[in-house]
Amino acid sequence: MPMYQNGEVDPALKALEARQDEIMRKLYELKAAVDGLAKTVTTPDADMDVTTLTQTTTVSAFTGTADLDALLGKDPGALRDIVINANPASPPLSLLVLHGLLCQRYRVLSSVHVHSSVSSVPPQLLSCLGPRHTESYTRQCFQLGFTLIWKDVPKVQMKFSTQSMCPIEGEANVARFLFRLLGAEPKDPIVATQLDSWVDTAFFQLAEGGSKERATVLRSLNSALGRSIWLLGQEPSLADIVCACCILRDGQALSTPANVQRWLQACRNLEHFHCIAPLLQ
Amino acid sequence: MTKEEVKGSAEEEQQAAQSKKALKKQQKEAEKAAKKAEKQAKLAADQQTTEEDDFAQDRYGVCVLLQSQEKLDRSLVRVCELTPERAGQTVWVRARIHTSRAKGKQCFLVLRQQQFNVQALVAVGERASKQMVKFAANITKESIVDVEAVVQKVEQKIESCTQQDIELHVQRLFVVSQAEPRLPLQLEDAVRPEVEGEEEGRATVNQDTRLDNRVIDLRTTTSQAIFRLQSGVCQLFRDTLTKKGFVEIQTPKIISAASEGGANVFTVSYFKTSAYLAQSPQLYKQMCICADFDKVFCVGPVFRAEDSNTHRHLTEFVGLDIEMAFNYHYHEVIDSITDTMVQIFKGLRDNFQTEIQTVGKQYPSEPFKFLEPTLRLEFKEAVALLRSAGVEMGDEEDLSTPNEKLLGRLVKEKYDTDFYVLDKYPLAVRPFYTMPDPHNAKYSNSYDMFMRGEEILSGAQRVHDAQLLTERALHHGIDLEKIKAYIDSFRYGAPPHAGGGIGLERVTMLYLGLHNVRQTSMFPRDPKRLTP
């Protein structure tokens, strides 16, 4: 049977493709459901325990090869500390998720501070980076510092190498920077651009847009997630993280289409999403 | 005509002219005398009429010296309590005459009490006579007066006073204590912001004049605010530590041996021998730890005989010292000290906003910023930060004052905090009783704390093992005989401990962003000043 007829794809092939996609989707659903079940079976206090899931949900996409010296220039002989200023009124959920991913790859010294410009911060924001590292008294033993400061700032701000870099503003840009440290960004320029585009969509249209705009984005998310399990194909990426965080931040009040709902549940089942669960109540 | 003749005639002419002038002068003088006599007569007449006509005679005057003759049942209202709610009430107020301005039948007074002031009005009318207004206008500045007055709401806010919504209509006015007419410095000049003074070409008072006349300078709103805030620092320090279970101790200031080398101690003659003034209560704090007091603090004078005339050195200052036994890691102590500092900063931010703003009017500065928990960096990181900014320095070199300031700026840029801890100093630059770092013998378990890029606290885990302490002392070339008592106190079981001390004046100065530590010392002592 010829594959092409008059330059058109054989409808039979198309149908096959669709069927396979459907199977993959169902398989993933099943996996998510089993994960969820495993969580409730093994620990009664589901949100608190992440260690039991470490083995089951490790994401291969985030284990690319990255070397901090190659990414950030030569070793300064001291802790490379990333400082993030964020407003407690709108916690940057996507950055907390990325922090979880960084912790899987590097020895990260995480600390949370409250700046004098804000008077009180809810306790769950103070513990959002997880429990303190047991060796936190030896700063030199860590590869990366992640210092989150709750501060009265209009926009999320990142300060890293103050001598050579200007402060980076906007949660989207900080998220891109952190994601690159994982060395898992797509190599294909088209996919990389799609990723950037999803990140923009998430922060400009989902987070800040009106209800109409949000509905439009949800529709396009729904159709994209009809084609593949994750936004950019077979593996979760930054696009999934930021879009999911922006939707989750608004709460469940939105009427979310079926594909999106399933995908959201899949996201929440990822281990590194667990840290934001206490902030969503 | 000969020259002589010419000269002679010229002289004659001159004389004639002179005599004419003299005549005129005499005439004028006579007129003046007449006027004077007239004036005097008028004055006398006035006085007579005063004595005759002054219906308000017993409503004003100079009080007799107050020797506690009477115990009046009269309550004095504080100026800060004069609010619109009291409108219509008749109150008694004791205050100073800040300024007075007479205008025809009225006299406006600004009455000041500490950092608050209120406008008062003496006007000719039912209750006050012309003579009373005149008397009010003639009271010298800074005199203390008792005033009975009615509180009145005003239509327009009085911008120049702290009590802007009301004024006092004076009914009685008595001088309790009279000030000499000439003041060594004007209070308005002393509170004028420096920049503004230069622009307008108006007078400002320089530091030495202020300090020479400290009693008057301390009356300014700025000084009042500074020292009220300083008292707050002390209070918050005590409260926080007491809550944490600390015990306040008192230690002797006359000691037999210098604690940290003999170079910068004051020697005093002590009967047939000599003694020293304590540079820090270091030894005594540690002895208290060995004596099972566990957590101690001490507020008291500390002496430094350093002949340095800088903006931040005094020869006598108030030290706030902490020493604390810990369980396993000296960071327990760092956390305790930094938390105390943060509580102080928070307390000042929340309870002393008026004072901070008052000082800010004269010495504008950015509000003090800090993080909770406090940022802790290691010495190595500081060196890396400084190197990235182009400073060349060795790994084990101590921070110079300019580098300290630069580091403060770099830290502020990245973390936006004015307060941070620098941990793990090189062992070589610390005193002999500093505990070495177990992982790297070149470093030590010691730390400095900084406010606005200037060091305010220097502390460390102390060696609590007599053996190691002896070794370290020998390494530093210290005569063991002189510190025998100190080393001996660790022979009978000593808990691991750490501590540190801060200077009250420096903390106040840096919190408010002032530039000279003398501004925050009530009666500063430096190599060149011993009075007042």
Side-chain angles (χ1 to χ4, degrees), chain A residues 41-241:
Chain A
V41 169
T42 47
T43 51
D45 195 0
D47 286 341
M48 296 309 291
D49 199 325
V50 285
T51 47
T52 53
L53 288 162
T54 330
Q55 300 315 312
T56 52
T57 54
T58 303
V59 183
S60 59
F62 299 130
T63 50
T65 49
D67 171 26
L68 280 179
D69 280 349
L71 286 165
L72 297 172
K74 73 172 182 43
D75 190 6
L79 184 72
R80 292 173 164 115
D81 198 4
I82 300 172
V83 178
I84 291 169
N85 295 317
N87 199 319
S90 57
L93 300 180
S94 68
L95 303 187
L96 301 181
V97 172
L98 286 163
H99 166 260
L101 284 168
L102 283 170
C103 287
Q104 286 176 3
R105 270 197 60 69
Y106 305 105
R107 287 174 63 77
V108 181
L109 175 62
S110 329
S111 47
V112 182
H113 297 269
V114 179
H115 191 260
S116 53
S117 57
V118 286
S119 46
S120 70
V121 167
Q124 65 265 31
L125 288 185
L126 294 177
S127 56
C128 64
L129 295 188
R132 264 183 100 174
H133 215 287
T134 47
E135 285 170 57
S136 61
Y137 53 87
T138 44
R139 285 175 68 89
Q140 296 307 319
C141 300
F142 292 86
Q143 290 170 288
L144 210 55
F146 191 97
T147 304
L148 176 63
I149 301 174
W150 295 117
K151 185 178 170 183
D152 185 18
V153 280
K155 263 187 187 171
V156 175
Q157 192 183 47
M158 186 192 86
K159 289 177 179 181
F160 180 56
S161 165
T162 39
Q163 291 302 302
S164 53
M165 258 165 83
C166 65
I168 302 211
E169 297 228 315
E171 188 175 338
N173 301 319
V174 179
R176 286 182 179 113
F177 178 87
L178 295 181
F179 186 64
R180 269 173 210 157
L181 291 181
L182 295 166
E185 73 212 90
K187 301 286 180 291
D188 178 21
I190 296 173
V191 184
T193 314
Q194 278 173 338
L195 187 149
D196 265 341
S197 160
W198 275 122
V199 174
D200 282 343
T201 307
F203 288 106
F204 290 118
Q205 290 173 283
L206 269 179
E208 290 170 24
S211 56
K212 262 191 183 172
E213 223 171 337
R214 270 207 295 271
T216 318
V217 177
L218 284 177
R219 269 201 300 282
S220 63
L221 272 173
N222 197 42
S223 69
L225 290 166
R227 286 190 296 273
S228 61
I229 303 154
W230 303 100
L231 286 173
L232 294 180
Q234 301 306 307
E235 304 288 355
S237 69
L238 180 63
D240 300 287
I241 296 175

Side-chain angles (χ1 to χ4, degrees), chain B residues 454-465:
Chain B
E454 292 194 41
E455 183 239 281
I456 52 144
L457 175 142
S458 213
Q461 178 185 350
R462 331 287 189 188
V463 179
H464 59 279
D465 176 79

